[in-house]
Amino acid sequence: QTVVTQEPSLTVSPGGTVTLTCASSTGAVTSGYYPNWFQQKPGQAPRALIYSTSKKHSWTPARFSGSLLGGKAALTLSGVQPEDEAEYYCLLYYGGARVFGGGTKLTVL
Amino acid sequence: QVQLVQSGSELKEPGASVKVSCKASGYTFTDFAMNWVRQAPGQGLEWMGWINTSTGNPTYAQGFTGRFVFSLDTSVSTAYLQISSLKAEDTAVYYCARGVLSGVVIIRYDYWGQGTLVTVSS
C-alpha cells in the first residue's frame, strides 16, 4: 500500500513564506510522479494549483510555486495572504494509480 | 467556459444503488479524461479512478473495484459513477475532475465538479 505523506498542519504569518511537502513511501519523488497540488476550502470543491511539479494553471496566483526539494514534491507560498488559509493536497502518479496525500491544513495567523 | 455540473445530493438505504452524474460543457468531452474522487466526512481526498472518454475504458483504484462502475453518455457529454450494494462507509462527497492526458498519463487535473453528497443511512 503506497502512502503519500504531508505535514498535517502548518502555521504561517500573513506576508510570510511557507513550504508544504509531499513524500512517497516508495522513495524519492521525481518529475515522473507528475506532482499535482490542490487547495480546498471548507465546503468547497478542490481547486487545482500546480501540475507536473511546477507548472501553474492560468488561475494560479503568482505567489504559489511548485518544486522538488530533498526527494519530495514541494509547494511554496510566498507573501501569504489570509485567503490562503485552507487544506492543501498533493497527488502523485504511480504508473496507473494515483494517490493523494493526507493533506496539510494551513493556518494563516 | 468549462463547467462540470454534478447531480444533487442523494439519501439511500444500505444495500441500495446510486448513480451520480457529471455533465460537462464548454469543451469537447472526448478530448479529456474524467476522474472520480471521494471525500468522506472530515477526511481527505481519495482518487477512485478514471475513465477514458474517447474509448470508454475505465481504470479503478485499489479499493474501488466490484461495486463501483464508471460509465459515459458521450451524446450528452456526461460521465456517471454508479455504486451498488451501498454501505454506511460509502457516505461521502463524490467529485468528478477533468484530466488532461499526455500520451497515456494524466498530467493535469484542472476543472472539478461541485461535488455530490451521497448519504447511506437507514
Side-chain angles (χ1 to χ4, degrees):
Chain A
Q1 179 82 353
T2 301
V3 177
V4 177
T5 302
Q6 299 182 242
E7 296 87 359
S9 63
L10 291 169
T11 300
V12 61
S13 299
T17 296
V18 65
T19 297
L20 290 64
T21 67
C22 175
S24 173
S25 62
T26 60
V29 176
T30 66
S31 59
Y33 285 76
Y34 300 97
N36 276 250
W37 289 92
F38 305 91
Q39 177 193 65
Q40 188 180 34
K41 296 182 179 180
Q44 296 184 14
R47 175 190 178 209
L49 291 174
I50 299 288
Y51 66 98
S52 293
T53 305
S54 58
K55 297 181 180 178
K56 299 180 186 183
H57 295 274
S58 59
W59 53 80
T60 304
R63 62 184 181 274
F64 291 86
S65 63
S67 64
L68 296 176
L69 200 62
K72 302 178 184 179
L75 175 70
T76 299
L77 288 72
S78 305
V80 171
Q81 302 295 308
E83 61 265 29
D84 297 333
E85 184 163 294
E87 193 88 22
Y88 291 84
Y89 294 94
C90 64
L91 176 67
L92 299 181
Y93 168 76
Y94 291 90
R98 283 88 174 156
V99 180
F100 280 101
T104 295
K105 180 174 174 55
L106 182 66
T107 300
V108 181
L109 205 58
Chain B
Q1 74 283 19
V2 174
Q3 279 193 302
L4 299 178
V5 178
Q6 297 184 226
S7 47
S9 298
E10 301 267 10
L11 173 60
K12 295 290 185 180
E13 293 192 344
S17 295
V18 69
K19 194 169 187 177
V20 175
S21 67
C22 171
K23 183 169 177 58
S25 61
Y27 70 97
T28 301
F29 183 67
T30 51
D31 282 352
F32 297 83
M34 193 64 76
N35 295 264
W36 290 95
V37 174
R38 182 171 79 177
Q39 187 168 38
Q43 302 300 307
L45 303 175
E46 274 187 282
W47 183 76
M48 300 174 65
W50 69 287
I51 186 165
N52 186 317
T53 56
S54 177
T55 65
N57 183 49
T59 298
Y60 299 98
Q62 202 171 12
F64 293 99
T65 56
R67 298 189 299 116
F68 300 83
V69 176
F70 307 147
S71 62
L72 304 169
D73 185 342
T74 57
S75 69
V76 290
S77 300
T78 301
Y80 299 96
L81 163 66
Q82 183 160 359
I83 312 171
S84 58
S85 303
L86 283 163
K87 308 174 183 180
E89 50 264 42
D90 294 323
T91 294
V93 175
Y94 293 85
Y95 294 100
C96 58
R98 193 180 81 162
V100 178
L101 282 158
S102 176
V104 297
V105 179
I106 299 175
I107 62 168
R108 188 166 109 196
Y109 307 77
D110 49 12
Y111 293 91
W112 290 63
Q114 83 276 20
T116 296
L117 173 62
V118 174
T119 303
V120 184
S121 174
S122 53

